[in-house]
Amino acid sequence: MQYRPFGSLDFDVSMIGMGCASISGEGGGYGFGDITEQESIDLVHAAQDRGINLFDTAPIYGFGMSEVRLGKALAGERRERAFVVSKSGITWDDEKNVRLDNSPTTTRAMLEQSLRDLQTDSIDLYLVHWPDQNCDIRATMEVLVDAKQEGKIKAFGLSNSNPDELAKASEVAVPEVLQAQMNLFENSPRESLFDFVNRQGAGMMTWGSLDKGILTGRVHKERTFDASDVRSHAPWWVNDDHTPRYNAMAELMPRLEEKGHTGLELALSHLFSHPEVSTALCGFRSTAQLEGTCKAVDNLLSGSLLEACQATAQKHLS
C-alpha cells in the first residue's frame, strides 16, 4: 500500500480507504447488497492487514449496521491502527423515513450514538454529511469544535460541501478535511473545492471513486441489483441515464487491455493524478476485490495514456 499526507493532519493516509457502506447492505439505508456480519469483520481485518488504515462509515449505512460492524471489527488493538471516519446529518425516524438535519441537537445526538456503535471513545475524523439549507453550518461547526475540545473527535470536516458553506463554516473553524464525489466522469470538486484544499492545506477524500462500479466494468447496462443494493431503487441511480458512461467504457476497455491496464487502474490513475486527493474511498465487498484494488495502485497509467482516456471520457459526456 502507498500513503499520502492527509492535509495538515499529522497522519499519512493509505491511498485506498475502505468505504464501509459495503458491509451493511441488508440493514437498509445506503448499502450495496447482503453480506454477513462475519464476512464484514473478516473483510475489515483483511483490508487493515493489507495496509489500509482509513475506514469511512456513517449512520445511514445500514441504519447503524455499518458502524456497529466496524466497531466490532476494530475492537482491541486493531482500533489503535485504524483511522475511523464517520458523519452526522442524515438521520431517520422510527419508520426509517430519512431526513437531513444538521441542527446542533441532532449533530450532538448522532455523534454520541456513533461513539457507542463504534465502541470508541473518540472518532478520528467527523464530517457533516451533506449541506442542510434549514440549518446554518456555523451552528453545526460550533458543536464539532466543542466535541474536539472534549476529545470525542480528533478532527472535523465537511462532506459534499460548496464554497459558500465552506466560507461560513470557516468563520467558526476551518474544516480540516473535505470529502466529495469525484471520478473520471465527475470532476466538479476541481472547480469548487480544490482552491480551498490548496489554500487551507486540507485533506481530500473522494467517494464514488469507481462510479458505483461503472469504471471497473462490473456495472453495465445489463446489470441488475438485489433489493438490498441501493442501486436497485434510489432515484439518483434509477432515474439517471448512464448510457454515455457505459459507451465511454466500451470504447476505453479494449485500449486499456491492449496497454496492460484495467478500468480500475484508470479510475485510480485519474484521481491520483491530482495531488489534492489524499485518499480514494472504495467499497470492495470481497477479498478478491480488495486485492485487486490494492494492486491497482501499483500499476497506474502513464501520463499520455491517462490524458487520452480522460479526453475519451469527456467526449462521451459532452
Side-chain angles (χ1 to χ4, degrees):
M1 179 53 61
Q2 299 182 44
Y3 301 84
R4 284 187 170 186
F6 206 15
S8 60
L9 301 183
D10 185 20
F11 181 77
D12 286 342
V13 63
S14 51
M15 289 173 64
I16 300 299
M18 182 172 178
C20 292
S22 66
I23 61 172
S24 61
E26 70 274 32
Y30 185 86
F32 295 93
D34 290 355
I35 183 171
T36 69
E37 181 172 283
Q38 191 58 54
E39 288 171 336
S40 300
I41 292 172
D42 291 345
L43 190 55
V44 171
H45 289 176
Q48 193 173 45
D49 294 343
R50 192 61 173 75
I52 289 174
N53 60 11
L54 183 142
F55 299 85
D56 175 274
T57 185
I60 193 59
Y61 303 164
F63 290 117
M65 183 178 287
S66 174
E67 289 185 316
V68 168
R69 289 180 171 179
L70 184 61
K72 291 180 178 180
L74 295 177
E77 60 86 19
R78 284 187 177 272
R79 178 65 184 90
E80 299 175 7
R81 298 188 282 118
F83 189 98
V84 175
V85 183
S86 195
K87 313 176 189 75
S88 68
I90 302 182
T91 187
W92 58 91
D93 61 21
D94 292 340
E95 283 77 44
K96 294 187 177 178
N97 296 308
V98 177
R99 73 178 189 279
L100 180 62
D101 184 354
N102 289 344
S103 67
T105 300
T106 297
T107 302
R108 171 63 75 173
M110 294 190 75
L111 170 58
E112 297 293 345
Q113 185 62 50
S114 290
L115 289 167
R116 290 190 290 270
D117 288 345
L118 288 164
Q119 300 182 43
T120 188
D121 295 327
S122 180
I123 297 173
D124 299 291
L125 172 63
Y126 200 63
L127 304 174
V128 180
H129 208 154
W130 285 90
D132 178 2
Q133 295 182 349
N134 297 317
C135 180
D136 190 326
I137 188 61
R138 289 169 290 197
T140 316
M141 289 297 296
E142 288 174 356
V143 174
L144 302 191
V145 170
D146 290 344
K148 184 175 180 178
Q149 292 174 344
E150 295 164 3
K152 294 185 176 181
I153 63 176
K154 296 178 181 176
F156 49 72
L158 302 181
S159 179
N160 305 302
S161 193
N162 56 67
D164 289 342
E165 187 184 53
L166 285 170
K168 287 184 178 180
S170 297
E171 293 178 21
V172 177
V174 177
E176 298 165 282
V177 175
L178 303 184
Q179 183 184 95
Q181 179 176 211
M182 184 173 171
N183 56 58
L184 184 66
F185 300 119
E186 172 53 67
N187 289 291
S188 60
R190 293 190 303 197
E191 289 72 42
S192 62
L193 301 179
F194 276 15
D195 178 64
F196 180 92
V197 169
N198 288 317
R199 282 189 294 107
Q200 300 295 346
M204 179 74 191
M205 308 166 60
T206 66
W207 66 268
S209 308
L210 309 180
D211 202 17
K212 301 296 187 295
I214 293 177
L215 287 166
T216 68
R218 286 177 54 82
V219 173
H220 43 77
K221 61 182 179 180
E222 287 84 23
R223 173 74 182 269
T224 59
F225 303 97
D226 296 334
S228 57
D229 191 312
V230 69
R231 292 169 293 186
S232 70
H233 59 269
W236 51 261
W237 178 267
V238 298
N239 294 336
D240 193 21
D241 181 10
H242 307 289
T243 302
R245 302 183 184 202
Y246 295 147
N247 291 341
M249 294 311 298
E251 180 177 345
L252 287 169
M253 282 298 194
R255 188 187 312 173
L256 291 169
E257 292 172 3
E258 180 183 350
K259 299 294 185 179
H261 287 289
T262 65
L264 175 57
E265 291 164 358
L266 168 60
L268 297 180
S269 298
H270 173 73
L271 294 173
F272 295 133
S273 69
H274 300 89
E276 292 84 357
V277 174
S278 307
T279 185
L281 297 176
C282 296
F284 34 79
R285 290 175 32 79
S286 68
T287 53
Q289 291 178 8
L290 162 66
E291 286 297 325
T293 304
C294 292
K295 290 178 181 178
V297 179
D298 297 322
N299 192 37
L300 300 181
L301 277 64
S302 66
S304 59
L305 178 58
L306 175 60
E307 290 173 3
C309 291
Q310 289 168 329
T312 297
Q314 290 308 306
K315 176 188 71 175
H316 282 273
L317 295 180
S318 60

